[in-house]
Amino acid sequence: MATASLPGMGIRSLESTYSRLGILLIAPAVLLLIATIVYPLLYALWLSLNSVYTPTQQSTFVGLANYRDMLGSPTFWFSLWVTIVWTTSTLILQILCGVGMALLLNEKITFRSAARSLVLFPYFVSTVVAVLVWRWLFNDLYGLLNQVLLELHMVDAPVNWLGQMPNAMISIVLVGTWKYFPFVVIAVLARLQTIPLSLYEAARMDGAGPFGRFFDVTLPQLKEVLGVVILLRIIWDFKEFDLLYLMTGGGPVNQTRSVPLLVYQQAFGLNQMGAASTSAVGMMVVMGVLMAAYLYRSQRTRSHDASR
């Protein structure tokens, strides 16, 4: 009986060894996750419950007072509205431009390989370099854009693109679209190349024209990848800081100040680290609600499609 139990004991011992080895192998990744995500998140939550003076880090526990002030602050709600306008406008233009460019690059056009490489240029160029170029183009005194518009007699005087509304918001939306639409192109183009040609042939035989093939074949095939792209772009655009800060700094008169810019101003301009952490937590909650709603809707759509 003792001899018969040895193989079982050996298997259990081997499984235990492999389990310990697995824990040991993933331990560095877990520690890194805790150090870079969990600890800063918990620390931000703790700071939001305190009144903290940034230079000295002296703090006084105030409980939920920061949250009460934030919810009653018109400044926070206006910054949230600016963030939503920026995110929505940029996302819509990115999707339209990205899908359109991907459809074009999927066709057999001249210099298609070169065009596919060049379209990625805005996404990989440094944000600082891109902003410097665009600020020069938008300059109201010697900017190239105003010079072209004046030469074409489309305007009678130079346009102040970054110093007044709504020009400032339009400008940063256009720059954001130019900078980030190549990400949509990459994702959509990769999916387009995997769509079976037999689907298009069947659609042609049924008498579908170009628009019919797009809405009946291409768009349904792109639904999954567009869902992922939209979710990622919402997250990244909602928390965008460097492009907005370098383009307008939140001006004119804080009309383009998003929540990330508000957090920066509170933390390092007003030296109110506690209030800044509270605004950051509020932004995180809004993003969490948006992502949860989107994922819930996507799950219901997949369940509905699977039951059909």
Side-chain angles (χ1 to χ4, degrees):
M1 293 177 61
T3 304
S5 63
L6 285 178
M9 294 175 60
I11 293 175
R12 286 195 295 271
S13 177
L14 189 60
E15 290 178 348
S16 178
T17 301
Y18 282 150
S19 298
R20 289 195 296 269
L21 178 61
I23 295 174
L24 184 63
L25 291 175
I26 68 172
V30 173
L31 293 175
L32 183 63
L33 179 68
I34 293 173
T36 57
I37 297 179
V38 177
Y39 172 73
L41 177 60
L42 295 178
Y43 188 57
L45 290 172
W46 168 251
L47 287 177
S48 68
L49 300 176
N50 292 266
S51 176
V52 184
Y53 183 61
T54 303
T56 61
Q57 290 295 294
Q58 292 182 347
S59 62
T60 303
F61 184 78
V62 294
L64 298 178
N66 286 332
Y67 290 94
R68 184 179 62 250
D69 294 341
M70 180 189 71
L71 294 176
S73 171
T75 300
F76 172 78
W77 292 109
F78 183 76
S79 296
L80 181 60
W81 169 248
V82 169
T83 307
I84 293 174
V85 171
W86 147 261
T87 302
T88 305
S89 304
T90 309
L91 176 64
I92 292 173
L93 290 178
Q94 286 178 47
I95 296 299
L96 294 177
C97 296
V99 172
M101 184 61 69
L103 291 172
L104 177 63
L105 295 178
N106 194 48
E107 300 295 327
K108 294 181 180 180
I109 59 176
T110 307
F111 303 116
R112 182 172 66 174
S113 299
R116 288 179 175 179
S117 301
L118 290 175
V119 78
L120 304 179
F121 173 77
Y123 191 67
F124 294 118
V125 72
S126 169
T127 301
V128 175
V129 174
V131 168
L132 287 175
V133 173
W134 279 101
R135 284 183 63 88
W136 175 74
L137 292 173
F138 283 133
N139 190 277
D140 56 340
L141 296 179
Y142 52 82
L144 180 61
L145 181 58
N146 275 327
Q147 294 298 321
V148 171
L149 293 177
L150 288 171
E151 290 291 335
L152 295 176
H153 302 289
M154 298 180 66
V155 296
D156 297 326
V159 179
N160 187 1
W161 291 103
L162 300 176
Q164 66 182 37
M165 291 292 287
N167 297 344
M169 179 59 71
I170 294 174
S171 299
I172 61 177
V173 166
L174 292 178
V175 175
T177 301
W178 172 85
K179 181 75 172 68
Y180 298 118
F181 90 98
F183 176 80
V184 183
V185 176
I186 297 171
V188 173
L189 184 58
R191 182 66 184 95
L192 285 174
Q193 294 175 339
T194 64
I195 299 177
L197 295 178
S198 59
L199 296 177
Y200 292 104
E201 294 297 331
R204 287 191 183 94
M205 293 179 64
D206 290 339
F211 288 101
R213 292 194 298 271
F214 174 77
F215 287 105
D216 294 336
V217 178
T218 305
L219 197 57
Q221 294 292 324
L222 294 178
K223 185 163 57 175
E224 291 293 333
V225 69
L226 284 178
V228 175
V229 168
I230 290 173
L231 177 61
L232 292 176
R233 288 301 337 156
I234 287 176
I235 296 172
W236 293 339
D237 291 337
F238 198 88
K239 66 182 184 62
E240 181 69 32
F241 171 80
D242 48 355
L243 189 145
L244 300 179
Y245 179 76
L246 294 171
M247 282 293 296
T248 64
V253 197
N254 297 327
Q255 293 296 301
T256 61
R257 183 177 59 185
S258 62
V259 177
L261 292 181
L262 176 64
V263 172
Y264 175 81
Q265 185 183 69
Q266 289 176 327
F268 303 107
L270 302 177
N271 292 323
Q272 298 175 356
M273 185 63 73
S277 300
T278 306
S279 299
V281 172
M283 183 175 67
M284 182 185 67
V285 171
V286 173
M287 291 179 61
V289 171
L290 292 175
M291 286 188 293
Y294 177 82
L295 293 175
Y296 175 73
R297 183 178 180 278
S298 300
Q299 183 64 35
R300 287 192 59 184
T301 302
R302 282 194 293 267
S303 300
H304 177 70
D305 294 340
S307 63
R308 292 176 61 180

